[in-house]
C-alpha cells in the first residue's frame, strides 16, 4: 500500500501544466481516474486498520507472561509506525489530489475564458466599420446577444469571487475568536 501511495503521488506530480482546453480536459479525465483509484483502495485501507486493531486487541488479551516480550513490543512499534505512515500518506494524497483538482478546474475556467475572448475578437473583427451605413439596431442587438452569451456568465463568476468561501468564513471566525481572547 505504501508503494501504491508513492506511485500515485508521482502520477499527480508528473501531470503537465495544461496550455489549452483539450489538454485541460485530458488532464481532468486522467485526474478523475486517479480519484477513482483512490476511492477503490479506501476499503483496503480500512480493512488494514481493522486488522491491526484486532491484532492489538489480541496482544492486550494475551497472558501477562507472553505480553511484553521484546519481540512483540518491537513488532507492534513497527506496525504502529507503518499504520501511521499509511494514514498520513493517504491523507496527504487526498489533499494533493484535491489541490490539483482545484487547479485543473481553475485552468478549465481560464481556458474557457480565453476561448470566449477569442470568440469576442472574431466577432469584433467581423464588424465592418468602413461601411457608411451601420444598422445601429442590428449592432446593438448583436452586442446584447454577445454580452448575454459571453460576458454575463463571467460577470457572475467575478461577482462570486467577491464573496467569502465557507473556508474563508471559518478562518475569519477563528481569527476573530483568537483576537477576542
Amino acid at each position: 500500500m505504501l508503494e501504491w501511495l508513492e506511485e500515485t503521488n508521482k502520477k499527480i506530480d508528473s501531470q503537465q501544466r495544461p496550455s489549452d482546453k483539450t489538454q485541460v480536459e485530458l488532464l481532468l479525465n486522467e485526474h478523475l481516474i486517479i480519484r477513482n483509484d483512490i476511492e477503490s483502495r479506501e476499503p483496503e485501507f480500512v480493512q488494514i486498520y481493522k486488522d491491526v486493531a484486532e491484532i492489538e486487541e489480541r496482544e492486550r488479551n494475551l497472558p501477562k507472561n507472553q505480553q511484553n516480550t521484546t519481540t512483540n513490543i518491537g513488532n507492534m512499534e513497527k506496525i504502529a509506525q507503518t499504520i501511521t505512515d499509511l494514514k498520513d500518506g493517504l491523507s496527504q494524497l487526498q489533499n494533493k489530489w484535491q489541490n490539483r483538482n482545484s487547479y485543473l478546474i481553475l485552468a478549465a475556467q481560464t481556458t474557457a475564458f480565453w476561448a470566449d475572448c477569442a470568440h469576442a475578437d472574431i466577432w469584433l473583427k467581423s464588424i465592418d466599420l468602413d461601411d457608411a451605413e451601420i444598422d445601429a439596431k442590428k449592432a446593438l442587438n448583436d452586442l446584447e446577444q454577445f454580452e448575454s452569451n459571453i460576458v454575463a456568465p463571467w460577470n457572475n463568476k467575478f461577482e462570486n469571487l467577491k464573496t467569502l468561501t465557507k473556508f474563508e468564513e471559518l478562518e475569519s471566525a477563528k481569527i476573530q475568536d483568537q483576537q477576542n481572547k
Side-chain angles (χ1 to χ4, degrees):
M1 294 302 280
L2 289 172
E3 288 175 15
W4 173 82
L5 285 171
E6 187 176 325
E7 288 173 19
T8 307
N9 270 308
K10 286 179 183 177
K11 279 183 193 176
I12 293 173
D13 290 339
S14 69
Q15 287 181 332
Q16 300 172 358
R17 186 173 233 134
S19 61
D20 63 16
K21 187 176 180 180
T22 306
Q23 283 183 341
V24 171
E25 290 172 358
L26 288 173
L27 286 172
L28 278 169
N29 287 336
E30 181 181 319
H31 207 60
L32 287 174
I33 290 169
I34 292 172
R35 181 64 192 168
N36 290 337
D37 191 24
I38 292 170
E39 288 176 349
S40 71
R41 299 263 184 168
E42 283 179 359
E44 293 176 40
F45 281 93
V46 171
Q47 188 60 47
I48 289 171
Y49 303 152
K50 285 180 182 178
D51 292 346
V52 169
E54 288 175 12
I55 291 170
E56 289 173 343
E57 185 64 30
R58 277 188 268 153
E59 182 71 22
R60 281 193 291 273
N61 291 333
L62 283 175
K64 292 282 186 195
N65 61 349
Q66 294 177 352
Q67 216 172 41
N68 291 325
T69 64
T70 307
T71 307
N72 286 347
I73 292 172
N75 288 338
M76 291 309 292
E77 288 174 358
K78 287 179 186 177
I79 291 172
Q81 182 59 46
T82 303
I83 292 301
T84 301
D85 292 346
L86 282 174
K87 286 181 179 179
D88 291 346
L90 182 60
S91 176
Q92 289 171 357
L93 178 64
Q94 289 170 331
N95 288 337
K96 182 181 281 191
W97 185 92
Q98 186 60 44
N99 290 339
R100 180 68 176 170
N101 193 59
S102 297
Y103 169 79
L104 289 173
I105 289 171
L106 182 61
Q109 291 172 341
T110 303
T111 56
F113 178 76
W114 286 115
D116 291 346
C117 289
H119 177 74
D121 188 47
I122 291 170
W123 177 78
L124 288 171
K125 287 178 181 176
S126 71
I127 296 175
D128 189 8
L129 297 178
D130 292 338
D131 280 349
E133 294 181 31
I134 296 176
D135 185 4
K137 287 182 180 180
K138 182 181 181 302
L140 284 174
N141 285 338
D142 288 347
L143 180 62
E144 288 173 5
Q145 182 181 6
F146 168 74
E147 286 178 346
S148 66
N149 290 339
I150 305 297
V151 177
W154 285 103
N155 285 339
N156 291 339
K157 291 177 183 180
F158 291 134
E159 283 298 316
N160 288 337
L161 289 174
K162 293 178 183 177
T163 60
L164 294 176
T165 64
K166 294 288 183 192
F167 177 76
E168 290 169 329
E169 289 173 358
L170 292 172
E171 287 297 311
S172 177
K174 285 180 186 178
I175 291 170
Q176 286 179 353
D177 286 344
Q178 291 174 352
Q179 289 175 350
N180 291 338
K181 291 181 181 178

